[in-house]
Amino acid sequence: MAHLARSTTPLWCLSRAARLPLKSSWSRQARQLRAYSSAPMPKPSPSTTSATALTFLAAVAAGAAYWSQTPAVVECEAPKSERKPIITVEMDRKTKLEGLTEDSPMRLRMEAYNKRLQAEITAEIEKLDGQGKFKVDQWNRVEGGDGISMVLQGGKVFEKAGVGVSVVYGMLPPAAVAQMRAQHPNVKATSEPVPFFATGISCVMHPHNPNAPTVHFNYRYFEMGEPDKDGNPVSWWFGGGCDLTPAILYEEDAVHFHRVIKEACDRHDPRYYKDFKKWCDEYFYIPHRGERRGVGGIFFDDLDDKSPEELFAYVQSCGNSFLNQYVPIMQKRKDMPFTADDKQWQQLRRGRYVEFNLVYDRGTKFGLLTPGARIESILMTMPLTARWEYMHEPDLQAHGRLMEVLRAPKDWIPFDK
């Protein structure tokens, strides 16, 4: 998660475009669901997840500008060579001042949705924690865009919880545009930079109690090209997903988490859950450990197989499902007794979480390589504490079942129900 696409996250989003300049490491990452109704879903292999093809929106966390706290604003600058006036920025500012409608550009409606969802989630998590409060860290981007990282640390229930939203306007270099034309034939060849827009929301929560699982989600939207007179971009797509990472496995929790997101998927396409669940299991694979980060959820990227309105409705269904996915689990687990061995095991599993985020997560890696990036926001997803032990062997009597499902992902609920 880095923020723009882990994810993780904190925003986690320059999906395709951000990955392209790293040509030397470009892999056959399955990244598009074009003609979804008739074509099989691309199959990303574990090896492709280690490529440095990255996602930006999961790299800069942000949040609701109207939140009740008064944050300090940090100005983020890219190198001067990247600065170029973008007509869309001023046009969008004017549109937002006039008020959004159902006919407003999708980028502005997605931005507004992300900020509403962030406000709702942070308010509910504060209630669940009962003690901690989210710190609000607002930032502005000189080239256009803004964001807020919202982080709760040292709460009663949560060791660390972060929810971020970012809005980014920028320019794609010609080399990136040239490679993107393979997937977007409507994009014209050019020797000049091309404008892009990205917005997303990302969230990671690490509870104190080892019985309570870590959770992550992010949902994002990307546009490329100067909009036409009607505000339509040259190219656009959605991405996102959610996943659960327990240290102590309670199978009923995994079933609940998957059931809720499957219901959201099924309202829009009966194949979404099956395909995106498989994609999630493959994306969150840690090759050097031979195991997954957690018990999965869904993952999708470059989604443009339906109309923008249909996919926006789908993404909203997923985002709106989060509290129902996670809060009931936390209410059951947050006050359970645990031992020193349980806590030590949790810290070791968090070590795996850190390994994935720093070594394989596209959003985190891209964010760390981006000039002018906000490192604190990018690393917002990291737990406060983690542990590594030399040649540690897990207690299979206590955690054997968890290790089984991390090495061989389980279908937690039937696909056809």
Side-chain angles (χ1 to χ4, degrees):
M1 155 173 129
H3 206 61
L4 261 164
R6 190 200 49 356
S7 139
T8 124
T9 98
L11 283 193
W12 310 270
C13 182
L14 256 187
S15 162
R16 218 161 10 208
R19 305 197 290 259
L20 290 168
L22 303 174
K23 186 175 181 181
S24 63
S25 62
W26 187 248
S27 67
R28 296 180 181 177
Q29 171 80 21
R31 62 194 183 276
Q32 187 174 14
L33 299 179
R34 186 168 303 282
Y36 189 88
S37 60
S38 59
M41 186 196 72
K43 181 180 180 181
S45 65
S47 63
T48 62
T49 63
S50 65
T52 52
L54 311 170
T55 303
F56 179 69
L57 205 50
V60 262
Y66 53 82
W67 195 251
S68 59
Q69 304 182 49
T70 304
V73 178
V74 177
E75 295 289 343
C76 301
E77 294 193 25
K80 291 183 179 180
S81 61
E82 293 184 13
R83 294 183 207 156
K84 180 178 179 180
I86 301 175
I87 298 174
T88 308
V89 177
E90 293 304 323
M91 179 175 68
D92 286 354
R93 286 174 181 165
K94 180 180 178 181
T95 300
K96 286 188 281 189
L97 287 173
E98 294 172 347
L100 300 184
T101 69
E102 292 183 355
D103 297 323
S104 297
M106 179 58 67
R107 60 185 173 273
L108 301 186
R109 293 162 62 197
M110 181 68 174
E111 173 189 344
Y113 169 72
N114 288 341
K115 291 179 177 180
R116 289 195 303 270
L117 182 62
Q118 184 191 42
E120 177 183 348
I121 289 173
T122 51
E124 291 301 315
I125 294 303
E126 284 188 348
K127 291 179 184 178
L128 179 66
D129 189 273
Q131 174 180 299
K133 298 294 181 182
F134 279 91
K135 177 181 179 179
V136 182
D137 179 21
Q138 183 177 352
W139 52 270
N140 287 330
R141 181 175 167 85
V142 174
E143 297 76 13
D146 60 79
I148 300 176
S149 302
M150 301 184 68
V151 180
L152 182 159
Q153 291 186 155
K156 181 180 179 181
V157 172
F158 292 98
E159 179 181 282
K160 187 178 181 184
V163 187
V165 172
S166 74
V167 181
V168 177
Y169 297 79
M171 303 297 293
L172 290 176
V177 176
Q179 294 189 53
M180 291 182 70
R181 294 184 69 232
Q183 290 79 34
H184 298 274
N186 56 326
V187 176
K188 297 180 180 179
T190 178
S191 60
E192 297 294 327
V194 173
F196 77 85
F197 169 89
T199 184
I201 179 170
S202 187
C203 166
V204 178
M205 299 188 180
H206 299 286
H208 286 295
N209 195 314
N211 294 287
T214 287
V215 73
H216 156 259
F217 80 81
N218 95 278
Y219 298 103
R220 55 195 180 271
Y221 175 72
F222 184 88
E223 289 185 356
M224 187 184 74
E226 195 71 58
D228 61 23
K229 60 182 178 63
D230 297 320
N232 300 312
V234 173
S235 185
W236 58 269
W237 59 89
F238 289 87
C242 59
D243 64 290
L244 194 70
T245 305
I248 298 174
L249 178 63
Y250 294 93
E251 297 202 20
E252 62 267 33
D253 293 350
V255 170
H256 170 81
F257 188 84
H258 279 261
R259 179 182 293 119
V260 174
I261 197 62
K262 181 180 185 297
E263 290 172 355
C265 292
D266 288 350
R267 288 195 291 271
H268 300 271
D269 192 308
R271 290 172 294 175
Y272 274 179
Y273 172 74
K274 179 179 180 179
D275 290 346
F276 297 165
K277 191 268 185 189
K278 183 174 184 291
W279 204 344
C280 183
D281 290 336
E282 293 174 338
Y283 178 77
F284 289 106
Y285 181 68
I286 308 174
H288 66 270
R289 296 291 188 181
E291 60 192 48
R292 275 74 188 168
R293 189 174 77 176
V295 296
I298 62 169
F299 177 88
F300 60 94
D301 204 0
D302 306 324
L303 190 60
D304 60 0
D305 66 300
K306 302 180 188 295
S307 72
E309 293 297 332
E310 289 176 291
L311 294 178
F312 183 40
Y314 169 60
V315 167
Q316 290 180 86
S317 292
C318 292
N320 294 342
S321 296
F322 171 72
L323 289 172
N324 189 29
Q325 280 182 284
Y326 190 56
V327 171
I329 295 173
M330 287 301 302
Q331 289 171 335
K332 289 192 298 183
R333 308 300 176 198
K334 64 185 179 67
D335 298 319
M336 290 179 64
F338 59 88
T339 67
D341 287 343
D342 292 336
K343 191 65 179 179
Q344 181 180 18
W345 174 246
Q346 178 198 52
Q347 299 300 294
L348 289 166
R349 293 311 308 170
R350 284 187 179 169
R352 299 291 201 269
Y353 199 95
V354 171
E355 289 175 26
F356 176 84
N357 283 20
L358 292 181
V359 179
Y360 300 109
D361 184 72
R362 298 194 305 235
T364 302
K365 291 167 65 179
F366 179 81
L368 295 175
L369 293 172
T370 300
R374 300 197 68 244
I375 302 303
E376 290 299 318
S377 294
I378 297 168
L379 299 179
M380 181 192 75
T381 61
M382 298 299 173
L384 281 181
T385 58
R387 182 183 182 95
W388 286 263
E389 291 185 9
Y390 184 72
M391 298 295 288
H392 177 267
E393 292 293 333
D395 180 352
L396 295 181
Q397 183 174 356
H399 306 297
R401 179 57 177 155
L402 174 64
M403 297 310 299
E404 287 178 11
V405 299
L406 295 181
R407 290 166 180 159
K410 176 179 177 179
D411 294 336
W412 296 101
I413 54 177
F415 292 131
D416 57 352
K417 293 184 180 180

